[in-house]
């Protein structure tokens, strides 16, 4: 969805404001690398693991595993896709289950499919999927919200991807000072305005600022996401502040993990939300132009070894 140009002035950790002109959002499509086939150690590629691979979707098959009269197998999802015809011999499939293969699968133990990314776990065949859906070593989705980007990878890869492919602004430091300017603020539509990545405490954080419809009224929202798992995100806090004409709004919270999608965080209203009338009041003037200055900081809570009290650790 296209938007008017938005001027943003940003400064971090004493760096002087510099003018940044944001153009229309462009939809980018990227392809992630194909996952590696995971082979059970000690088996050749033509072994049991390959027999458990659906010939249509190439995913591992789970009960019910169907077969035709000639013994060719496929998964239950693909059975409907092939209109009840065997994709190998074109014979009618019927409702024959391959119980022998299901029993063989039940006896297997396989490594997590993310073992090449560092996961050391081995699971019974039928427990593997549940673990893989929550595995801490699974790739992260691209956190860019301005397009349906399908790229996945580890954090260093995604940081490079955001910088090189999405042209996202990168800043070092744990404080920020952004100025958002937009003409015709009454024409707000659902659209992402800006993503900025900050590097501090050896970690990466995504600052989102956008406009969207909340019921019948347009609102503006800013929130922070941590590029890592939720357990690590809890070690950090952040604050956001916006104001003008002698008034201010302040938000403090814990950044959400990028495991939670951008839409999930936005729809939970977990961030600084500014109603349009308040935003225009902060902007001053004749209410025909939006001018918001959002400042904030990120800090890490550290345990005081003497008193057991958490004290904030601010980066310099």
């Amino acid at each position: 969805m296209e938007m008017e140009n938005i001027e943003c002035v940003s400064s971090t950790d004493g760096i002087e404001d510099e003018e940044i002109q944001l153009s229309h959002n462009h939809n980018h499509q990227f392809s992630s690398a194909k996952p590696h086939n995971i082979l059970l150690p000690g088996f050749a590629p033509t072994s049991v693991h390959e027999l458990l691979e659906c010939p249509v979707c190439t995913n591992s098959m789970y009960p019910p595993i169907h077969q035709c009269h000639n013994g060719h197998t496929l998964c239950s999802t693909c059975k409907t896709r092939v209109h009840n015809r065997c994709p190998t011999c074109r014979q009618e499939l019927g409702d024959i289950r391959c119980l022998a293969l299901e029993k063989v699968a039940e006896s297997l133990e396989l490594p997590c499919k993310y073992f090449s990314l560092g996961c050391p776990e081995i699971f019974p065949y039928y427990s593997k999927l549940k673990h893989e859906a929550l595995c801490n070593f699974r790739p992260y989705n691209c956190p860019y919200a301005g397009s349906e980007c399908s790229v996945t990878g580890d954090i260093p890869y995604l940081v490079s991807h955001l910088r090189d492919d999405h042209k996202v602004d990168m800043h070092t430091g744990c404080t920020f000072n952004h100025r958002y300017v937009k003409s015709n603020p009454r024409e707000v539509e659902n659209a992402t305005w800006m993503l900025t990545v900050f590097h501090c405490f050896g970690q990466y954080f995504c600052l989102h600022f956008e406009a969207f419809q909340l019921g019948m009224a347009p609102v503006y929202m800013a929130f922070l996401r941590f590029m890592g798992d939720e357990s690590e995100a809890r070690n950090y806090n952040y604050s956001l502040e916006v104001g003008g004409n002698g008034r201010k709004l302040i938000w403090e919270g814990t950044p959400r993990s990028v495991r939670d999608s951008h839409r999930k965080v936005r729809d939970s209203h977990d961030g600084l939300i500014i109603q349009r009338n308040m935003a225009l009041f902060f902007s001053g003037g004749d209410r025909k132009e939006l001018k918001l200055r959002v400042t904030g900081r990120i800090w890490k809570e550290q345990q005081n070894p003497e008193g057991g009290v958490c004290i904030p650790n601010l980066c310099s």
Side-chain angles (χ1 to χ4, degrees), residues 12 17 80 83 97 110 129 171 174 193 215 218 239 246:
T12 58
D17 287 359
T80 57
H83 306 292
R97 283 179 64 175
L110 298 174
L129 276 183
H171 296 283
C174 60
W193 276 20
S239 66

Side-chain angles (χ1 to χ4, degrees), residues 187-204:
E187 298 178 2
V188 172
E189 297 175 312
N190 290 320
T192 295
W193 276 20
M194 186 175 181
L195 169 64
T196 307
V197 173
F198 293 90
H199 183 230
C200 60
F201 301 109
Q203 306 289 345
Y204 290 94

Side-chain angles (χ1 to χ4, degrees), residues 8 26 52 69 109 160 194 198 223-224 226 248 269 310 312:
C8 172
H26 298 285
L52 286 166
H69 292 282
E109 289 190 343
S160 298
M194 186 175 181
F198 293 90
F223 58 91
L224 196 73
F226 173 75
K248 68 172 65 174
H269 304 163
C310 287

Side-chain angles (χ1 to χ4, degrees), residues 6-301:
I6 302 161
E7 177 192 8
C8 172
V9 179
S10 169
S11 68
T12 58
D13 293 339
I15 300 175
E16 293 184 358
D17 287 359
E18 60 178 83
E19 297 292 329
I20 302 173
Q21 186 70 23
L22 298 180
S23 58
H24 300 297
N25 283 321
H26 298 285
N27 288 335
H28 297 277
Q29 295 293 336
F30 301 95
S31 299
S32 56
K34 294 180 66 177
H36 298 287
N37 288 327
I38 308 301
L39 300 179
L40 185 64
F43 284 87
T46 55
S47 65
V48 175
H49 184 273
E50 189 167 290
L51 292 176
L52 286 166
E53 186 178 275
C54 174
V56 178
C57 65
T58 70
N59 292 326
S60 298
M61 294 187 290
Y62 294 87
I65 300 175
H66 296 277
Q67 70 173 34
C68 72
H69 292 282
N70 293 324
H72 303 125
T73 57
L74 81 164
C75 71
S76 56
T77 301
C78 290
K79 182 174 182 286
T80 57
R81 293 171 57 188
V82 299
H83 306 292
N84 207 37
R85 289 283 175 181
C86 175
T88 304
C89 66
R90 310 306 300 168
Q91 295 295 314
E92 186 174 348
L93 285 171
D95 292 312
I96 306 173
R97 283 179 64 175
C98 188
L99 298 178
L101 192 55
E102 291 180 9
K103 280 291 185 183
V104 169
E106 189 175 341
S107 68
L108 294 179
E109 289 190 343
L110 298 174
C112 170
K113 73 176 181 178
Y114 302 121
F115 79 97
S116 63
L117 300 178
C119 182
E121 303 293 338
I122 296 177
F123 295 90
Y125 186 81
Y126 293 141
S127 303
K128 202 164 75 82
L129 276 183
K130 184 177 180 180
H131 160 78
E132 289 170 353
L134 300 173
C135 178
N136 289 335
F137 292 91
R138 71 192 189 277
Y140 295 89
N141 295 322
C142 173
Y144 190 76
S147 66
E148 297 298 326
C149 182
S150 61
V151 167
T152 62
D154 60 17
I155 298 304
Y157 174 78
L158 289 181
V159 169
S160 298
H161 164 67
L162 288 170
R163 181 190 63 236
D164 300 336
D165 297 323
H166 292 299
K167 310 303 179 186
V168 169
D169 287 335
M170 302 282 171
H171 296 283
T172 299
C174 60
T175 63
F176 43 89
N177 184 346
H178 286 318
R179 181 160 56 90
Y180 302 94
V181 180
K182 185 183 186 300
S183 59
N184 299 321
R186 297 183 181 277
E187 298 178 2
V188 172
E189 297 175 312
N190 290 320
T192 295
W193 276 20
M194 186 175 181
L195 169 64
T196 307
V197 173
F198 293 90
H199 183 230
C200 60
F201 301 109
Q203 306 289 345
Y204 290 94
F205 300 82
C206 295
L207 175 64
H208 297 266
F209 186 87
E210 65 178 82
F212 64 98
Q213 292 288 138
L214 182 60
M216 298 297 292
V219 297
Y220 309 94
M221 183 175 180
F223 58 91
L224 196 73
R225 288 200 291 168
F226 173 75
M227 296 189 71
D229 285 321
E230 182 182 355
S231 58
E232 297 177 87
R234 296 194 195 103
N235 296 325
Y236 302 91
N237 288 317
Y238 75 102
S239 66
L240 296 171
E241 181 178 313
V242 63
N245 286 336
R247 277 81 169 176
K248 68 172 65 174
L249 290 176
I250 299 175
W251 164 269
E252 285 192 6
T254 301
R256 297 281 286 271
S257 166
V258 290
R259 294 288 191 199
D260 289 336
S261 70
H262 162 270
R263 182 174 293 275
K264 180 178 180 180
V265 179
R266 190 195 76 177
D267 291 349
S268 67
H269 304 163
D270 191 2
L272 176 67
I273 296 181
I274 314 160
Q275 302 292 335
R276 184 180 64 183
N277 286 340
M278 182 64 72
L280 292 173
F281 179 78
F282 287 156
S283 300
D286 55 7
R287 299 170 64 90
K288 292 182 179 180
E289 186 176 46
L290 181 73
K291 294 180 180 179
L292 289 178
R293 182 174 292 278
V294 178
T295 61
R297 64 187 179 97
I298 304 166
W299 69 93
K300 184 177 182 178
E301 298 287 356

